[in-house]
């Protein structure tokens, strides 16, 4: 995990925007992944954009509404992401 933190810091020092997404199989609001991404100065995009709502279940059998999939980004790009959206797991993208 320290290698990942060093890599993120290097990208930020170069002036890059960083977006990291993944299926972390743990609640993205706490735990090891959360600590790493927070230490790197990244914010959880979906939770940040919808902080007034219960976190979305990102897996259709998730009855506890624990977000295990996450999308984190540097603060410098958050304003560009504010027009994003995510669909519920019950909706299909195809018609």
């Amino acid at each position: 995990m320290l290698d990942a933190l060093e890599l993120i810091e290097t990208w930020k020092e170069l002036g890059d925007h960083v977006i990291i997404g993944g299926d972390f199989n743990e609640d993205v609001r706490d735990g090891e992944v959360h600590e790493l991404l927070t230490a790197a100065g990244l914010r959880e995009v979906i939770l940040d954009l919808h902080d007034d709502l219960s976190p979305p279940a990102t897996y259709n059998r998730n009855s506890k509404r624990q977000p295990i999939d996450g999308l984190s980004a540097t603060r410098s790009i958050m304003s560009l992401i504010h027009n994003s959206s995510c669909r519920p797991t019950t909706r299909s993208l195809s018609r």
Side-chain angles (χ1 to χ4, degrees):
M1 289 285 215
L2 291 177
D3 290 340
L5 182 58
E6 289 175 13
L7 188 56
I8 293 168
E9 291 301 328
T10 299
W11 289 333
K12 288 171 46 183
E13 288 170 7
L14 293 170
D16 293 334
H17 299 292
V18 179
I19 301 173
I20 296 178
D23 178 353
F24 300 111
N25 289 327
E26 69 178 25
D27 193 327
V28 297
R29 298 171 294 184
D30 53 34
E32 191 175 346
V33 172
H34 171 76
E35 289 177 17
L36 169 80
L37 298 175
T38 300
L42 275 61
R43 309 233 355 223
E44 215 305 317
V45 174
I46 296 169
L47 298 179
D48 189 66
L49 291 174
H50 305 286
D51 62 350
D52 58 331
L53 303 173
S54 174
T58 55
Y59 178 60
N60 64 358
R61 287 185 272 179
N62 182 348
S63 61
K64 297 180 183 178
R65 297 197 65 80
Q66 292 179 337
I68 60 171
D69 300 314
L71 183 66
S72 295
T74 49
R75 292 179 190 269
S76 58
I77 199 169
M78 289 298 288
S79 63
L80 302 174
I81 297 174
H82 277 259
N83 291 327
S84 68
S85 66
C86 69
R87 295 180 181 268
T89 58
T90 57
R91 266 185 88 177
S92 172
L93 294 176
S94 61
R95 298 237 183 241

